[in-house]
Amino acid sequence: MTYQDELAKVLTSVYPPRVLDGVYTDDEYRRLLGVVQQRGPWPTIQAHHFESVDELIATTTGVVPKDHGLTLDAIATAHFRGFYGQNSVCYYPEIEDIFYSSRLLDEVKSYWHAEYAKPTMMLFNVCGPHQSGLNPHLDAVTFRGVRYENTPVWLLNIMAKSGLFTDYIVNMAQVITWWYRGEAGTFTYWPDGPLRPPKTLPTPMWNRGIVVQNELMFHRGDPVGRPEERPIEGVRHRSLFEYRPDTDDWVITTDGEVIRRYAPVQIRLLVHWSAEVYRDLDDVKRVMDHTDDLTHDRVFETLIADLRAKGTPVEEPSDPMHDEAFIHTLTTTYTIAPTTDWLTHETDDRSQAERAS
Ligand SMILES: [Fe+2]
């Protein structure tokens, strides 16, 4: 088996994604939407995670080329985000029962054939018609002892793509749900691995969800709305999104100035609920009691041994987290990206989504 084939196997859902209809009750939807309407304005997705282009590039590649000449404003897209809860803490009392919902917990436990689960994070993405990037991505993987809180995302991605630390992955699942009746705005995902054709969840999607393992399955949100309604003048990294009850519409502002208005019917809302899943009580204890954690030293030793086994020359880096040559070797060795050219050969909704973009 070639490395690409092996890698593709690692990046294939352990269980096939499950499509769900009627994920939330009307009352739950009203309260989830209420937070978005009443607690804004909301920053762009990009602004939540990056303060500079260097930081953004480093997150994916670990190494920032000099004079890349990009600005965050140049790559800003009109997609906005807020968190309902993080680190297993719900930020809004009016949706606490949804964050800790037994129904959602049952969904992910049943998906994984697992006995226990814990909600970790819940967020929403909200937007109207806009152009978005077409690059598929993986969400950050969590390993026992090596996680988002103590490790840069580029290294977590390398670890996932290397397939060398699979035994240390903390199993997770997400329930992602959409409310959107407009054009395009589909969700494309690669459940059979990056080298096989993707699937697309077609629109309209109203209260339709999918149970997935997004940290080990490539996925992307497709551009939203008809092509002619996508361009937006004046979107910046610092732009904000909010609901205006007086006029019953949604606006994007840049420095307080309204640059775009949307009617409620144009809005696409995505709610992402994420949980850690434990097969049994032993699994719970292993994670919570840190009895079998990875360390950064162990990670680097394993990677270096694997590079050498592959015949890749590598010097022992003194500061592996910041050694440019070493990071470059890692990112060029453990690399895989989904094929997207399948999309043009498909005859169903996939090709429609692609044509629309
Ligand atoms: Fe994602």
Side-chain angles (χ1 to χ4, degrees), residues 137-139 214 219:
H137 66 276
L138 299 169
D139 294 354
N214 263 0
H219 60 278

PDB file of all heavy atoms in Angstrom, residues 137-139 214 219, ligand 1:
ATOM      1  N   HIS A 137     -11.071  21.074   4.333  1.00  0.00           N
ATOM      2  CA  HIS A 137     -10.178  21.096   5.493  1.00  0.00           C
ATOM      3  C   HIS A 137     -10.602  20.027   6.504  1.00  0.00           C
ATOM      4  O   HIS A 137     -11.668  19.431   6.378  1.00  0.00           O
ATOM      5  CB  HIS A 137     -10.192  22.473   6.154  1.00  0.00           C
ATOM      6  CG  HIS A 137     -11.517  22.808   6.766  1.00  0.00           C
ATOM      7  ND1 HIS A 137     -12.552  23.348   6.033  1.00  0.00           N
ATOM      8  CD2 HIS A 137     -12.016  22.653   8.018  1.00  0.00           C
ATOM      9  CE1 HIS A 137     -13.601  23.514   6.809  1.00  0.00           C
ATOM     10  NE2 HIS A 137     -13.309  23.095   8.025  1.00  0.00           N
ATOM     11  N   LEU A 138      -9.733  19.822   7.484  1.00  0.00           N
ATOM     12  CA  LEU A 138     -10.050  18.972   8.634  1.00  0.00           C
ATOM     13  C   LEU A 138     -10.157  19.882   9.851  1.00  0.00           C
ATOM     14  O   LEU A 138      -9.417  20.853   9.955  1.00  0.00           O
ATOM     15  CB  LEU A 138      -8.914  17.978   8.895  1.00  0.00           C
ATOM     16  CG  LEU A 138      -8.555  16.984   7.800  1.00  0.00           C
ATOM     17  CD1 LEU A 138      -7.239  16.287   8.149  1.00  0.00           C
ATOM     18  CD2 LEU A 138      -9.669  15.959   7.624  1.00  0.00           C
ATOM     19  N   ASP A 139     -11.041  19.556  10.794  1.00  0.00           N
ATOM     20  CA  ASP A 139     -11.048  20.294  12.055  1.00  0.00           C
ATOM     21  C   ASP A 139      -9.911  19.751  12.929  1.00  0.00           C
ATOM     22  O   ASP A 139      -9.392  18.669  12.663  1.00  0.00           O
ATOM     23  CB  ASP A 139     -12.399  20.127  12.763  1.00  0.00           C
ATOM     24  CG  ASP A 139     -13.533  20.787  11.969  1.00  0.00           C
ATOM     25  OD1 ASP A 139     -13.247  21.445  10.957  1.00  0.00           O
ATOM     26  OD2 ASP A 139     -14.697  20.615  12.377  1.00  0.00           O
ATOM     27  N   ASN A 214     -15.602  15.267  11.940  1.00  0.00           N
ATOM     28  CA  ASN A 214     -15.005  16.258  11.035  1.00  0.00           C
ATOM     29  C   ASN A 214     -13.507  16.447  11.192  1.00  0.00           C
ATOM     30  O   ASN A 214     -12.881  17.104  10.373  1.00  0.00           O
ATOM     31  CB  ASN A 214     -15.697  17.611  11.213  1.00  0.00           C
ATOM     32  CG  ASN A 214     -16.771  17.813  10.174  1.00  0.00           C
ATOM     33  OD1 ASN A 214     -16.992  16.950   9.334  1.00  0.00           O
ATOM     34  ND2 ASN A 214     -17.428  18.952  10.229  1.00  0.00           N
ATOM     35  N   HIS A 219     -13.865  18.193   4.584  1.00  0.00           N
ATOM     36  CA  HIS A 219     -15.188  18.773   4.342  1.00  0.00           C
ATOM     37  C   HIS A 219     -15.056  20.250   4.019  1.00  0.00           C
ATOM     38  O   HIS A 219     -14.006  20.851   4.263  1.00  0.00           O
ATOM     39  CB  HIS A 219     -16.078  18.578   5.571  1.00  0.00           C
ATOM     40  CG  HIS A 219     -15.527  19.236   6.807  1.00  0.00           C
ATOM     41  ND1 HIS A 219     -14.559  18.644   7.599  1.00  0.00           N
ATOM     42  CD2 HIS A 219     -15.769  20.427   7.379  1.00  0.00           C
ATOM     43  CE1 HIS A 219     -14.263  19.437   8.609  1.00  0.00           C
ATOM     44  NE2 HIS A 219     -14.968  20.537   8.500  1.00  0.00           N
TER      45      HIS A 219
HETATM   46 FE    FE B   1     -14.703  22.389   9.634  1.00  0.00          FE
END
